[in-house]
Amino acid sequence: YALYTDVEAEAFLEGKFVNLYTGRVYPEYNELLHLYQAFPVKDGEKVYVGQDFNSGFSKAAVFVERGNCIFGIAEYSFNVVADAPRILRRDFPSQQIVWLPDASAKEIMAGYKEEISQAGITLHMRNINPSVTERILVVNKLFRTGRLKLFPKMKQLSIALKTRQFDDNGDPQKGKGPLAPDHICDATEYALWHIVQVSSA
């Protein structure tokens, strides 16, 4: 019960029918609590890159796990996804890079095998994406338990976490254009869901 709000406990632990999907999608995020002073990433350290796809502005969010905490360390908007392996390797020259794209982009990723291999990046391609509910739950629980922090330079993600709302149908809002919050949030969810699953395995 300590990990859930009262409403979440009624839904997930007591089996009641309650409306979880109103207001902010990530109500647990608070800049005063969750921004963290940037630190250098160590040689050989593993970085996880969640990747969303949109023509001209494919958003990516990068995380590193240290101890019991996950740190958001960088965000990207790739004009051309084929450039992503080169750019990621340039920015993380001595780190292990695990790339976690949207599962619906299998065919897109298949076209970049050579670039990914040349950059020495590990591609982790799922058959299907985890459910939206699970992904959102993971993000909120990490913030609530103090296990997720963001570097201040992750400005777009910070704004998106504060502003993304549920729509009238109870679904996380989808937007158009590079500043719509869902794109960077989806990238974040892909990375964090994977990290949590690997850590708990």
Side-chain angles (χ1 to χ4, degrees), residues 112-130:
Y112 303 135
K113 285 183 178 178
E114 185 175 343
E115 290 90 342
I116 295 168
S117 176
Q118 288 178 351
I121 291 174
T122 300
L123 177 65
H124 186 87
M125 201 79 223
R126 306 177 188 88
N127 291 324
I128 59 171
N129 286 325

Side-chain angles (χ1 to χ4, degrees), residues 3-131:
L3 290 177
Y4 294 96
T5 64
D6 292 341
V7 174
E8 289 172 344
E10 288 180 348
F12 298 121
L13 302 179
E14 299 171 13
K16 296 181 181 178
F17 293 97
V18 296
N19 187 0
L20 293 171
Y21 307 115
T22 60
R24 284 177 56 198
V25 175
Y26 313 99
E28 300 299 330
Y29 175 63
N30 183 334
E31 280 183 331
L32 296 177
L33 299 174
H34 299 120
L35 292 185
Y36 196 90
Q37 184 174 349
F39 52 76
V41 182
K42 300 174 184 175
D43 292 344
E45 200 161 15
K46 188 177 289 187
V47 297
Y48 299 89
V49 183
Q51 182 70 61
D52 187 51
F53 293 93
N54 284 280
S55 179
F57 58 91
S58 292
K59 301 295 182 180
V62 185
F63 297 85
V64 65
E65 186 176 22
R66 286 196 179 177
N68 198 39
C69 200
I70 301 167
F71 297 91
I73 61 174
E75 58 188 19
Y76 293 88
S77 184
F78 299 118
N79 292 331
V80 180
V81 178
D83 291 337
R86 174 183 55 81
I87 293 169
L88 291 169
R89 180 50 71 197
R90 178 200 68 195
D91 292 352
F92 300 100
S94 61
Q95 287 76 28
Q96 301 176 60
I97 301 173
V98 180
W99 204 10
L100 301 149
D102 180 347
S104 67
K106 289 180 186 176
E107 293 182 5
I108 295 174
M109 298 309 294
Y112 303 135
K113 285 183 178 178
E114 185 175 343
E115 290 90 342
I116 295 168
S117 176
Q118 288 178 351
I121 291 174
T122 300
L123 177 65
H124 186 87
M125 201 79 223
R126 306 177 188 88
N127 291 324
I128 59 171
N129 286 325
S131 77

Side-chain angles (χ1 to χ4, degrees), residues 126-191:
R126 306 177 188 88
N127 291 324
I128 59 171
N129 286 325
S131 77
V132 174
T133 300
E134 284 185 32
R135 286 158 30 200
I136 291 170
L137 189 65
V138 163
V139 174
N140 280 315
K141 292 301 170 289
L142 287 171
F143 280 130
R144 183 179 303 157
T145 56
R147 291 188 56 208
L148 178 57
K149 308 286 186 181
L150 304 180
F151 283 9
K153 68 179 179 180
M154 295 191 78
K155 293 179 179 178
Q156 186 180 350
L157 178 57
S158 182
I159 292 171
L161 290 168
K162 291 186 293 185
T163 59
R164 194 179 188 191
Q165 303 282 319
F166 288 105
D167 64 23
D168 292 338
N169 296 319
D171 297 317
Q173 287 179 342
K174 292 286 186 183
K176 294 181 179 180
L179 297 181
D182 52 305
H183 307 304
I184 190 68
C185 288
D186 285 349
T188 294
E189 291 168 8
Y190 299 144

